[in-house]
Amino acid sequence: MSVKERKERERAGRERLIVAAARELAEQQGWDAVTTRRLAERIEYSQPVLYSHFRGKREIIGAVALQGAAELAVALRAATATADGRRARVTALARGYLDFAAGNPAVYDALFQLDGGLAYAREDTPQPLKDAFAALLECLGEVAGEGVDPGLFTEVFWASLHGIATLTRAGRLPPEYTGQRVELLVDRLAVL
C-alpha cells in the first residue's frame, strides 16, 4: 500500500469517526449538543482536524443525512421484501418508514428537518437521497392508480408518513393509534 493510499484510508476513517460521533451525540442529547468543540473532544482530535473534513456543523448534518438516507432505503426494501401482495407491501413500507423515524430521531431530523446543505428533488440531488425516494417509489408506484403520476403519488404518501412521524414524535398525535393511521392511509390512498 502506498503512502497516499494509507493517508486516504486514514482520512476516510477520521471522517467516519466524526460522523458517527455526531450522530451518537445528536441521538443522545439532540442536535444542539453537537458542536465542533464537543466532537473534537469525543474523537480526541483537534478542531482544525474536524474543519479539514467538514466546514462546519451544516456539512456534518449533511453527512449524517446521507448516511441515514442509505439506511432508510435498506430498511424500506427489507420491510417490503417478505410482504405478500400489494396491500401487505404498502403497509410494511409505511410501518418500516415510521419505525425508522421513531428509532433514529436525530438521523430523521438530519434528513428532513435540518439544513444539511443538500439538494432535494433536483438534478443535483445526492444519490443516497435519490435511492431513499426510489425505495418508496418501487413499492408505491404500483398502487398509485390509473392516470396518477407514480412520483407524485409517492410524494403525497411520503408526506403523509412524514406528518404522522413528526406529529407523533412531537406528542401531537397519540402513538397508540399509529397502526390505525397506517391502515387508513393505505386504505384511502393506495389503489390495491
Side-chain angles (χ1 to χ4, degrees):
M1 172 185 309
S2 72
V3 171
K4 181 181 176 188
E5 289 172 329
R6 181 183 53 80
K7 287 185 179 190
E8 287 173 3
R9 191 180 70 215
E10 288 171 356
R11 180 172 177 76
R14 277 192 310 272
E15 192 167 300
R16 282 191 303 276
L17 183 63
I18 294 166
V19 171
R23 183 175 174 168
E24 180 182 330
L25 186 58
E27 291 291 0
Q28 291 171 351
Q29 299 176 31
W31 279 103
D32 287 342
V34 179
T35 64
T36 54
R37 182 187 57 78
R38 290 185 81 189
L39 286 175
E41 289 171 3
R42 268 196 180 216
I43 65 169
E44 298 178 342
Y45 281 99
S46 67
Q47 286 183 358
V49 170
L50 265 74
Y51 285 116
S52 74
H53 291 274
F54 300 99
R55 287 184 292 219
K57 184 175 177 177
R58 182 177 185 224
E59 284 189 4
I60 293 169
I61 289 169
V64 170
L66 291 176
Q67 186 181 73
E71 292 170 8
L72 177 59
V74 168
L76 295 177
R77 289 184 176 116
T80 60
T82 59
D84 188 27
R86 290 170 20 157
R87 185 181 208 302
R89 277 193 301 281
V90 175
T91 300
L93 176 88
R95 288 185 177 144
Y97 183 93
L98 294 172
D99 288 347
F100 181 87
N104 303 281
V107 171
Y108 193 82
D109 285 349
L111 271 165
F112 303 121
Q113 304 287 89
L114 302 174
D115 179 10
L118 303 173
Y120 285 78
R122 295 189 341 211
E123 190 72 28
D124 60 339
T125 298
Q127 192 58 45
L129 297 177
K130 289 179 180 179
D131 194 41
F133 185 77
L136 290 165
L137 182 62
E138 289 162 10
C139 178
L140 296 171
E142 66 184 45
V143 297
E146 192 170 323
V148 177
D149 177 79
L152 185 60
F153 177 79
T154 299
E155 290 171 354
V156 170
F157 199 95
W158 170 32
S160 298
L161 289 174
H162 175 70
I164 292 170
T166 303
L167 292 170
T168 301
R169 185 166 136 213
R172 305 305 196 274
L173 295 176
E176 61 268 18
Y177 297 111
T178 298
Q180 289 171 285
R181 288 185 194 96
V182 166
E183 294 301 320
L184 185 61
L185 184 61
V186 171
D187 287 342
R188 296 293 189 255
L189 286 184
V191 177
L192 302 168

